[in-house]
Short mmCIF file of all heavy atoms in Angstrom, two decimals:
data_model
loop_
_atom_site.label_atom_id
_atom_site.label_comp_id
_atom_site.label_asym_id
_atom_site.label_seq_id
_atom_site.Cartn_x
_atom_site.Cartn_y
_atom_site.Cartn_z
N MET A 8 1.10 29.53 -27.78
CA MET A 8 2.31 29.93 -27.11
C MET A 8 2.66 28.89 -26.00
O MET A 8 1.77 28.09 -25.62
CB MET A 8 2.22 31.30 -26.48
CG MET A 8 2.01 32.43 -27.35
SD MET A 8 3.27 32.76 -28.46
CE MET A 8 4.29 33.80 -27.54
N ASP A 9 3.80 28.83 -25.61
CA ASP A 9 4.25 27.91 -24.66
C ASP A 9 3.94 28.42 -23.19
O ASP A 9 4.73 29.03 -22.54
CB ASP A 9 5.82 27.61 -24.75
CG ASP A 9 6.22 26.54 -23.83
OD1 ASP A 9 5.33 25.82 -23.21
OD2 ASP A 9 7.45 26.35 -23.79
N ASP A 10 2.77 28.18 -22.83
CA ASP A 10 2.25 28.77 -21.58
C ASP A 10 1.65 27.69 -20.71
O ASP A 10 0.71 27.87 -19.94
CB ASP A 10 1.23 29.90 -21.79
CG ASP A 10 1.15 30.83 -20.59
OD1 ASP A 10 2.08 30.72 -19.75
OD2 ASP A 10 0.23 31.61 -20.48
N GLY A 11 2.28 26.56 -20.76
CA GLY A 11 1.68 25.42 -19.98
C GLY A 11 2.55 25.20 -18.71
O GLY A 11 2.67 24.01 -18.27
N GLY A 12 3.13 26.19 -18.18
CA GLY A 12 3.97 25.99 -17.00
C GLY A 12 3.21 25.52 -15.77
O GLY A 12 1.95 25.63 -15.71
N ALA A 13 3.94 24.99 -14.82
CA ALA A 13 3.28 24.50 -13.58
C ALA A 13 3.26 25.50 -12.50
O ALA A 13 3.20 25.06 -11.31
CB ALA A 13 4.06 23.22 -13.22
N GLY A 14 3.33 26.75 -12.84
CA GLY A 14 3.16 27.73 -11.79
C GLY A 14 4.43 27.93 -10.99
O GLY A 14 4.49 28.54 -9.96
N ASP A 15 5.57 27.50 -11.59
CA ASP A 15 6.85 27.68 -10.84
C ASP A 15 7.48 29.02 -11.29
O ASP A 15 8.67 29.06 -11.77
CB ASP A 15 7.75 26.48 -11.17
CG ASP A 15 9.02 26.49 -10.40
OD1 ASP A 15 8.95 27.09 -9.26
OD2 ASP A 15 10.04 25.89 -10.75
N ASP A 16 6.77 30.16 -11.05
CA ASP A 16 7.35 31.34 -11.57
C ASP A 16 7.62 32.32 -10.35
O ASP A 16 7.69 33.54 -10.62
CB ASP A 16 6.33 32.01 -12.44
CG ASP A 16 5.00 32.09 -11.90
OD1 ASP A 16 4.76 31.73 -10.82
OD2 ASP A 16 4.06 32.64 -12.50
N THR A 17 7.77 31.73 -9.26
CA THR A 17 8.16 32.59 -8.07
C THR A 17 9.26 31.86 -7.33
O THR A 17 9.18 30.69 -7.00
CB THR A 17 6.97 32.90 -7.13
OG1 THR A 17 5.92 33.53 -7.89
CG2 THR A 17 7.35 33.73 -5.94
N MET A 18 10.31 32.62 -7.03
CA MET A 18 11.34 32.07 -6.17
C MET A 18 11.21 32.82 -4.86
O MET A 18 11.28 34.01 -4.82
CB MET A 18 12.65 32.22 -6.75
CG MET A 18 12.93 31.20 -7.87
SD MET A 18 14.28 31.59 -8.98
CE MET A 18 15.59 31.73 -7.75
N THR A 19 11.34 32.11 -3.67
CA THR A 19 11.30 32.75 -2.42
C THR A 19 12.59 32.36 -1.66
O THR A 19 12.93 31.15 -1.54
CB THR A 19 10.11 32.24 -1.63
OG1 THR A 19 8.96 32.49 -2.31
CG2 THR A 19 10.00 33.04 -0.29
N CYS A 20 13.24 33.35 -1.08
CA CYS A 20 14.48 33.06 -0.33
C CYS A 20 14.03 32.48 1.00
O CYS A 20 13.20 32.97 1.64
CB CYS A 20 15.25 34.34 -0.13
SG CYS A 20 16.60 34.24 1.06
N GLY A 21 14.66 31.33 1.27
CA GLY A 21 14.32 30.56 2.46
C GLY A 21 14.80 31.19 3.71
O GLY A 21 14.48 30.86 4.89
N THR A 22 15.70 32.21 3.49
CA THR A 22 16.32 32.86 4.69
C THR A 22 15.60 34.16 5.12
O THR A 22 15.30 34.36 6.22
CB THR A 22 17.81 33.07 4.41
OG1 THR A 22 18.44 31.93 4.15
CG2 THR A 22 18.53 33.61 5.61
N CYS A 23 15.42 35.09 4.05
CA CYS A 23 14.84 36.36 4.33
C CYS A 23 13.47 36.49 3.86
O CYS A 23 12.79 37.50 4.17
CB CYS A 23 15.88 37.46 3.90
SG CYS A 23 15.82 37.59 2.11
N GLY A 24 13.00 35.57 3.11
CA GLY A 24 11.64 35.66 2.57
C GLY A 24 11.48 36.52 1.35
O GLY A 24 10.40 36.71 0.78
N ARG A 25 12.62 36.99 0.82
CA ARG A 25 12.58 37.84 -0.37
C ARG A 25 12.03 37.00 -1.53
O ARG A 25 12.39 35.81 -1.70
CB ARG A 25 14.02 38.25 -0.54
CG ARG A 25 14.13 39.35 -1.72
CD ARG A 25 15.56 39.74 -1.73
NE ARG A 25 16.02 40.22 -2.99
CZ ARG A 25 17.36 40.31 -3.42
NH1 ARG A 25 18.30 39.96 -2.58
NH2 ARG A 25 17.70 40.86 -4.59
N GLN A 26 11.29 37.64 -2.38
CA GLN A 26 10.73 36.89 -3.54
C GLN A 26 11.21 37.54 -4.93
O GLN A 26 11.43 38.68 -4.95
CB GLN A 26 9.24 37.01 -3.50
CG GLN A 26 8.67 36.14 -2.35
CD GLN A 26 7.15 35.91 -2.53
OE1 GLN A 26 6.43 36.93 -2.87
NE2 GLN A 26 6.72 34.76 -2.10
N ALA A 27 11.37 36.67 -5.86
CA ALA A 27 11.69 37.01 -7.20
C ALA A 27 10.72 36.52 -8.13
O ALA A 27 10.27 35.38 -8.14
CB ALA A 27 13.09 36.48 -7.49
N THR A 28 10.14 37.46 -8.93
CA THR A 28 9.12 37.17 -9.85
C THR A 28 9.41 37.93 -11.12
O THR A 28 10.24 38.93 -11.14
CB THR A 28 7.75 37.47 -9.41
OG1 THR A 28 7.69 38.82 -9.05
CG2 THR A 28 7.35 36.66 -8.14
N GLY A 29 8.77 37.56 -12.18
CA GLY A 29 8.82 38.37 -13.50
C GLY A 29 10.25 38.56 -13.94
O GLY A 29 11.04 37.55 -14.12
N GLU A 30 10.73 39.81 -14.14
CA GLU A 30 12.00 40.00 -14.67
C GLU A 30 13.10 39.64 -13.79
O GLU A 30 14.13 39.18 -14.16
CB GLU A 30 12.17 41.55 -15.06
CG GLU A 30 11.44 41.92 -16.34
CD GLU A 30 11.76 43.33 -16.73
OE1 GLU A 30 12.77 43.86 -16.07
OE2 GLU A 30 10.99 43.90 -17.45
N GLY A 31 12.84 39.78 -12.46
CA GLY A 31 13.87 39.41 -11.56
C GLY A 31 14.10 37.89 -11.44
O GLY A 31 15.16 37.49 -10.85
N LEU A 32 13.22 37.16 -11.87
CA LEU A 32 13.26 35.69 -11.83
C LEU A 32 14.48 35.13 -12.65
O LEU A 32 15.22 34.29 -12.01
CB LEU A 32 12.04 34.99 -12.36
CG LEU A 32 11.81 33.58 -12.03
CD1 LEU A 32 11.83 33.38 -10.50
CD2 LEU A 32 10.48 33.10 -12.58
N ALA A 33 14.74 35.55 -13.77
CA ALA A 33 15.82 35.04 -14.57
C ALA A 33 17.10 35.40 -13.90
O ALA A 33 18.04 34.56 -13.84
CB ALA A 33 15.71 35.61 -15.97
N GLU A 34 17.27 36.55 -13.43
CA GLU A 34 18.44 36.87 -12.68
C GLU A 34 18.56 36.11 -11.42
O GLU A 34 19.74 35.67 -11.10
CB GLU A 34 18.40 38.46 -12.40
CG GLU A 34 19.70 39.04 -12.02
CD GLU A 34 19.65 40.49 -11.61
OE1 GLU A 34 18.80 41.17 -12.35
OE2 GLU A 34 20.26 40.98 -10.77
N ALA A 35 17.54 35.93 -10.71
CA ALA A 35 17.52 35.23 -9.50
C ALA A 35 18.01 33.78 -9.72
O ALA A 35 18.83 33.20 -8.92
CB ALA A 35 16.27 35.19 -8.83
N ARG A 36 17.58 33.20 -10.78
CA ARG A 36 17.96 31.83 -11.15
C ARG A 36 19.44 31.73 -11.26
O ARG A 36 20.01 30.67 -11.12
CB ARG A 36 17.26 31.30 -12.35
CG ARG A 36 15.79 30.98 -12.12
CD ARG A 36 15.28 29.93 -13.12
NE ARG A 36 14.04 29.31 -12.78
CZ ARG A 36 12.83 29.61 -13.31
NH1 ARG A 36 12.82 30.45 -14.31
NH2 ARG A 36 11.77 29.12 -12.89
N VAL A 37 20.13 32.72 -11.77
CA VAL A 37 21.52 32.71 -11.97
C VAL A 37 22.28 33.03 -10.66
O VAL A 37 23.26 32.35 -10.37
CB VAL A 37 21.92 33.73 -13.04
CG1 VAL A 37 23.48 33.76 -13.19
CG2 VAL A 37 21.25 33.36 -14.35
N ARG A 38 21.80 33.95 -9.93
CA ARG A 38 22.52 34.46 -8.77
C ARG A 38 22.23 33.71 -7.45
O ARG A 38 23.07 33.71 -6.55
CB ARG A 38 22.32 35.93 -8.59
CG ARG A 38 22.84 36.85 -9.77
CD ARG A 38 22.83 38.17 -9.50
NE ARG A 38 23.46 39.08 -10.39
CZ ARG A 38 23.63 40.29 -10.35
NH1 ARG A 38 23.16 41.01 -9.17
NH2 ARG A 38 24.18 40.99 -11.18
N TRP A 39 21.00 33.32 -7.31
CA TRP A 39 20.63 32.74 -6.08
C TRP A 39 21.25 31.27 -5.96
O TRP A 39 21.60 30.62 -6.95
CB TRP A 39 19.06 32.58 -5.98
CG TRP A 39 18.38 33.90 -5.72
CD1 TRP A 39 18.96 35.21 -6.07
CD2 TRP A 39 17.16 34.18 -5.16
NE1 TRP A 39 18.04 36.14 -5.75
CE2 TRP A 39 16.96 35.58 -5.22
CE3 TRP A 39 16.20 33.35 -4.63
CZ2 TRP A 39 15.72 36.09 -4.68
CZ3 TRP A 39 15.03 33.90 -4.12
CH2 TRP A 39 14.87 35.24 -4.18
N THR A 40 21.34 30.89 -4.76
CA THR A 40 21.93 29.54 -4.55
C THR A 40 20.74 28.60 -4.08
O THR A 40 19.93 28.97 -3.29
CB THR A 40 22.95 29.59 -3.35
OG1 THR A 40 23.88 30.62 -3.65
CG2 THR A 40 23.58 28.27 -3.19
N PHE A 41 20.81 27.47 -4.70
CA PHE A 41 19.83 26.43 -4.37
C PHE A 41 20.33 25.54 -3.25
O PHE A 41 21.25 24.67 -3.51
CB PHE A 41 19.41 25.64 -5.49
CG PHE A 41 18.12 24.85 -5.29
CD1 PHE A 41 16.98 25.47 -4.98
CD2 PHE A 41 18.11 23.46 -5.42
CE1 PHE A 41 15.75 24.76 -4.84
CE2 PHE A 41 16.94 22.69 -5.16
CZ PHE A 41 15.81 23.49 -4.93
N GLY A 42 19.84 25.86 -2.02
CA GLY A 42 20.37 25.04 -0.91
C GLY A 42 19.51 23.82 -0.64
O GLY A 42 18.26 23.78 -0.72
N THR A 43 20.13 22.75 -0.32
CA THR A 43 19.37 21.49 0.04
C THR A 43 19.58 21.13 1.42
O THR A 43 20.78 20.98 1.89
CB THR A 43 19.77 20.42 -0.94
OG1 THR A 43 21.25 20.20 -0.86
CG2 THR A 43 19.48 20.68 -2.35
N GLU A 44 18.62 20.92 2.16
CA GLU A 44 18.55 20.44 3.51
C GLU A 44 17.78 19.24 3.56
O GLU A 44 16.95 18.93 2.73
CB GLU A 44 18.00 21.51 4.44
CG GLU A 44 18.83 22.78 4.53
CD GLU A 44 18.04 23.84 5.26
OE1 GLU A 44 17.08 23.54 6.03
OE2 GLU A 44 18.30 25.03 5.14
N PRO A 45 18.10 18.39 4.52
CA PRO A 45 17.41 17.07 4.73
C PRO A 45 15.82 17.37 4.74
O PRO A 45 15.31 18.06 5.65
CB PRO A 45 17.82 16.55 6.05
CG PRO A 45 19.17 17.12 6.26
CD PRO A 45 19.12 18.50 5.56
N GLY A 46 15.15 16.75 3.83
CA GLY A 46 13.57 16.91 3.85
C GLY A 46 13.07 18.13 3.16
O GLY A 46 11.90 18.30 2.95
N ARG A 47 13.91 19.10 2.76
CA ARG A 47 13.42 20.25 2.10
C ARG A 47 14.57 20.97 1.31
O ARG A 47 15.69 20.90 1.60
CB ARG A 47 12.79 21.19 3.07
CG ARG A 47 13.80 22.09 3.80
CD ARG A 47 13.12 23.13 4.76
NE ARG A 47 13.83 24.37 4.79
CZ ARG A 47 13.25 25.49 5.08
NH1 ARG A 47 11.95 25.50 5.31
NH2 ARG A 47 13.98 26.56 5.14
N THR A 48 13.98 21.76 0.30
CA THR A 48 14.97 22.50 -0.58
C THR A 48 14.58 23.92 -0.49
O THR A 48 13.37 24.25 -0.36
CB THR A 48 14.98 21.93 -2.01
OG1 THR A 48 13.59 22.00 -2.41
CG2 THR A 48 15.51 20.57 -2.08
N ALA A 49 15.46 24.84 -0.52
CA ALA A 49 15.16 26.23 -0.43
C ALA A 49 16.16 27.07 -1.22
O ALA A 49 17.38 26.73 -1.28
CB ALA A 49 15.08 26.70 1.01
N TRP A 50 15.66 28.01 -1.91
CA TRP A 50 16.57 29.08 -2.52
C TRP A 50 17.11 29.98 -1.46
O TRP A 50 16.38 30.36 -0.51
CB TRP A 50 15.83 29.89 -3.53
CG TRP A 50 15.42 29.03 -4.82
CD1 TRP A 50 14.38 28.46 -5.12
CD2 TRP A 50 16.34 28.83 -5.91
NE1 TRP A 50 14.49 27.82 -6.33
CE2 TRP A 50 15.68 28.07 -6.87
CE3 TRP A 50 17.77 29.20 -6.17
CZ2 TRP A 50 16.29 27.60 -8.02
CZ3 TRP A 50 18.29 28.79 -7.30
CH2 TRP A 50 17.58 28.02 -8.26
N VAL A 51 18.30 30.47 -1.65
CA VAL A 51 18.91 31.44 -0.90
C VAL A 51 19.36 32.62 -1.84
O VAL A 51 20.10 32.42 -2.72
CB VAL A 51 20.08 30.94 -0.09
CG1 VAL A 51 20.70 32.00 0.82
CG2 VAL A 51 19.74 29.73 0.73
N CYS A 52 18.84 33.77 -1.52
CA CYS A 52 19.13 34.97 -2.34
C CYS A 52 20.53 35.28 -2.34
O CYS A 52 21.37 34.93 -1.38
CB CYS A 52 18.24 36.10 -2.19
SG CYS A 52 18.54 37.05 -0.68
N ASP A 53 20.99 36.13 -3.30
CA ASP A 53 22.40 36.43 -3.34
C ASP A 53 22.96 37.18 -2.11
O ASP A 53 24.01 36.92 -1.64
CB ASP A 53 22.65 37.23 -4.61
CG ASP A 53 21.81 38.47 -4.77
OD1 ASP A 53 20.80 38.50 -4.01
OD2 ASP A 53 22.00 39.29 -5.63
N ARG A 54 22.10 38.02 -1.53
CA ARG A 54 22.51 38.68 -0.41
C ARG A 54 22.68 37.82 0.78
O ARG A 54 23.71 37.90 1.59
CB ARG A 54 21.44 39.80 0.02
CG ARG A 54 21.51 41.05 -0.84
CD ARG A 54 20.53 42.05 -0.57
NE ARG A 54 20.65 42.59 0.92
CZ ARG A 54 19.78 43.35 1.38
NH1 ARG A 54 18.71 43.76 0.80
NH2 ARG A 54 20.01 43.89 2.67
N CYS A 55 21.72 36.89 1.04
CA CYS A 55 21.79 36.03 2.07
C CYS A 55 22.95 34.93 2.03
O CYS A 55 23.55 34.61 2.95
CB CYS A 55 20.42 35.19 2.25
SG CYS A 55 19.15 36.29 2.92
N SER A 56 23.20 34.58 0.75
CA SER A 56 24.31 33.66 0.59
C SER A 56 25.60 34.16 0.89
O SER A 56 26.51 33.59 1.45
CB SER A 56 24.31 33.01 -0.85
OG SER A 56 24.45 34.01 -1.85
N ARG A 57 25.76 35.46 0.66
CA ARG A 57 27.00 36.18 1.08
C ARG A 57 27.08 36.26 2.65
O ARG A 57 28.02 36.01 3.21
CB ARG A 57 27.01 37.63 0.49
CG ARG A 57 27.45 37.69 -0.92
CD ARG A 57 27.75 39.01 -1.42
NE ARG A 57 27.89 39.10 -2.81
CZ ARG A 57 28.08 40.37 -3.43
NH1 ARG A 57 28.05 41.44 -2.73
NH2 ARG A 57 28.14 40.30 -4.71
N LEU A 58 26.03 36.76 3.22
CA LEU A 58 25.95 36.98 4.70
C LEU A 58 26.19 35.46 5.35
O LEU A 58 26.96 35.38 6.18
CB LEU A 58 24.64 37.44 5.13
CG LEU A 58 24.37 38.90 4.84
CD1 LEU A 58 22.92 39.19 5.18
CD2 LEU A 58 25.32 39.76 5.55
N HIS A 59 25.55 34.52 4.74
CA HIS A 59 25.69 33.14 5.25
C HIS A 59 27.09 32.64 5.17
O HIS A 59 27.68 32.13 6.11
CB HIS A 59 24.79 32.28 4.34
CG HIS A 59 24.17 31.10 5.14
ND1 HIS A 59 23.35 31.43 6.31
CD2 HIS A 59 24.23 29.80 5.11
CE1 HIS A 59 22.96 30.27 6.75
NE2 HIS A 59 23.48 29.24 6.11
N ALA A 60 27.71 32.98 3.97
CA ALA A 60 29.06 32.48 3.84
C ALA A 60 30.08 33.17 4.89
O ALA A 60 30.90 32.52 5.41
CB ALA A 60 29.56 32.80 2.46
N ARG A 61 29.66 34.39 5.14
CA ARG A 61 30.59 35.08 6.14
C ARG A 61 30.40 34.54 7.42
O ARG A 61 31.37 34.33 8.23
CB ARG A 61 30.10 36.63 6.10
CG ARG A 61 30.88 37.51 5.19
CD ARG A 61 30.68 38.86 5.50
NE ARG A 61 31.50 39.82 4.70
CZ ARG A 61 31.48 41.12 4.85
NH1 ARG A 61 30.70 41.63 5.77
NH2 ARG A 61 32.32 41.86 4.15
N SER A 62 29.16 34.30 7.89
CA SER A 62 28.87 33.86 9.27
C SER A 62 29.46 32.48 9.32
O SER A 62 29.94 32.03 10.41
CB SER A 62 27.41 33.88 9.62
OG SER A 62 26.72 32.98 8.74
N ILE A 63 29.38 31.67 8.28
CA ILE A 63 29.96 30.31 8.37
C ILE A 63 31.40 30.37 8.55
O ILE A 63 32.03 29.70 9.35
CB ILE A 63 29.55 29.46 7.07
CG1 ILE A 63 28.10 29.12 7.11
CG2 ILE A 63 30.49 28.31 6.94
CD1 ILE A 63 27.60 28.51 5.86
N GLU A 64 32.01 31.29 7.83
CA GLU A 64 33.57 31.43 7.89
C GLU A 64 33.78 31.84 9.33
O GLU A 64 34.80 31.33 9.93
CB GLU A 64 34.00 32.46 6.88
CG GLU A 64 34.22 31.91 5.51
CD GLU A 64 34.62 32.96 4.53
OE1 GLU A 64 35.22 33.93 5.00
OE2 GLU A 64 34.40 32.66 3.35
N GLY A 65 33.07 32.83 9.78
CA GLY A 65 33.29 33.31 11.23
C GLY A 65 33.19 32.27 12.25
O GLY A 65 34.13 32.04 13.07
N LYS A 66 32.22 31.43 12.14
CA LYS A 66 32.03 30.33 13.00
C LYS A 66 33.21 29.36 12.91
O LYS A 66 33.70 28.95 13.93
CB LYS A 66 30.76 29.64 12.83
CG LYS A 66 29.48 30.38 13.40
CD LYS A 66 28.22 29.60 13.18
CE LYS A 66 27.00 30.49 13.60
NZ LYS A 66 25.76 29.86 13.26
N LEU A 67 33.49 29.01 11.71
CA LEU A 67 34.59 28.08 11.47
C LEU A 67 35.83 28.57 12.12
O LEU A 67 36.63 27.88 12.81
CB LEU A 67 34.77 27.77 10.02
CG LEU A 67 33.89 26.75 9.45
CD1 LEU A 67 34.20 26.67 7.91
CD2 LEU A 67 34.25 25.41 10.14
N ASP A 68 36.08 29.93 11.91
CA ASP A 68 37.22 30.55 12.44
C ASP A 68 37.33 30.44 13.95
O ASP A 68 38.37 29.99 14.47
CB ASP A 68 37.26 32.00 12.09
CG ASP A 68 38.33 32.32 11.05
OD1 ASP A 68 38.69 31.35 10.34
OD2 ASP A 68 38.73 33.51 10.91
N SER A 69 36.31 30.82 14.56
CA SER A 69 36.35 30.76 16.07
C SER A 69 36.43 29.35 16.65
O SER A 69 36.99 29.22 17.70
CB SER A 69 35.09 31.56 16.68
OG SER A 69 33.91 31.01 16.20
N GLU A 70 35.84 28.40 15.92
CA GLU A 70 35.90 27.02 16.45
C GLU A 70 37.25 26.38 16.11
O GLU A 70 37.79 25.54 16.83
CB GLU A 70 34.77 26.22 15.81
CG GLU A 70 33.48 26.42 16.55
CD GLU A 70 32.44 25.52 15.98
OE1 GLU A 70 32.77 24.45 15.45
OE2 GLU A 70 31.20 25.75 16.10
N TRP A 71 37.79 26.91 15.03
CA TRP A 71 39.07 26.38 14.51
C TRP A 71 40.21 26.60 15.44
O TRP A 71 41.11 25.88 15.63
CB TRP A 71 39.33 26.91 13.12
CG TRP A 71 40.00 26.10 12.20
CD1 TRP A 71 41.26 26.20 11.66
CD2 TRP A 71 39.60 24.75 11.70
NE1 TRP A 71 41.60 25.13 10.85
CE2 TRP A 71 40.58 24.30 10.84
CE3 TRP A 71 38.40 24.04 11.84
CZ2 TRP A 71 40.47 23.02 10.18
CZ3 TRP A 71 38.32 22.86 11.17
CH2 TRP A 71 39.27 22.32 10.44
N TRP A 72 40.17 27.91 16.00
CA TRP A 72 41.31 28.30 16.93
C TRP A 72 41.04 28.14 18.43
O TRP A 72 40.04 28.54 18.80
CB TRP A 72 41.67 29.76 16.57
CG TRP A 72 42.08 29.74 15.09
CD1 TRP A 72 41.36 30.46 14.10
CD2 TRP A 72 43.35 29.36 14.56
NE1 TRP A 72 42.07 30.32 12.85
CE2 TRP A 72 43.24 29.68 13.19
CE3 TRP A 72 44.37 28.63 15.09
CZ2 TRP A 72 44.27 29.30 12.26
CZ3 TRP A 72 45.42 28.26 14.23
CH2 TRP A 72 45.33 28.63 12.84
ZN1 ZN B 115 17.49 36.33 1.24
#
């Protein structure tokens, strides 16, 4: 069988620490956002990316006006 993976079978949300493994992993790969920051990369789960988008919009809003 094709079981020579490099152990990349866990995704961890860099914001809330939530982890996706097993069955949740395939779904997480589709729904989670892969964020890139200088010097590091991190997954952001679907919940956090929504919250994040909201807070970013809110900040932009208050700075904008
Ligand atoms: Zn999260």
Side-chain angles (χ1 to χ4, degrees):
M8 300 296 273
D9 186 9
D10 200 15
D15 187 24
D16 56 356
T17 303
M18 282 165 57
T19 305
C20 172
T22 303
C23 72
R25 186 175 158 198
Q26 290 192 322
T28 54
E30 283 187 16
L32 191 61
E34 197 179 324
R36 284 208 167 106
V37 177
R38 292 192 174 184
W39 290 23
T40 305
F41 193 61
T43 54
E44 293 171 19
R47 80 176 214 155
T48 53
W50 286 98
V51 181
C52 73
D53 50 351
R54 282 178 67 185
C55 286
S56 57
R57 277 190 196 177
L58 288 172
H59 215 60
R61 269 194 173 183
S62 66
I63 288 172
E64 278 178 23
K66 280 180 185 173
L67 275 178
D68 250 20
S69 54
E70 280 187 24
W71 212 244
W72 299 107

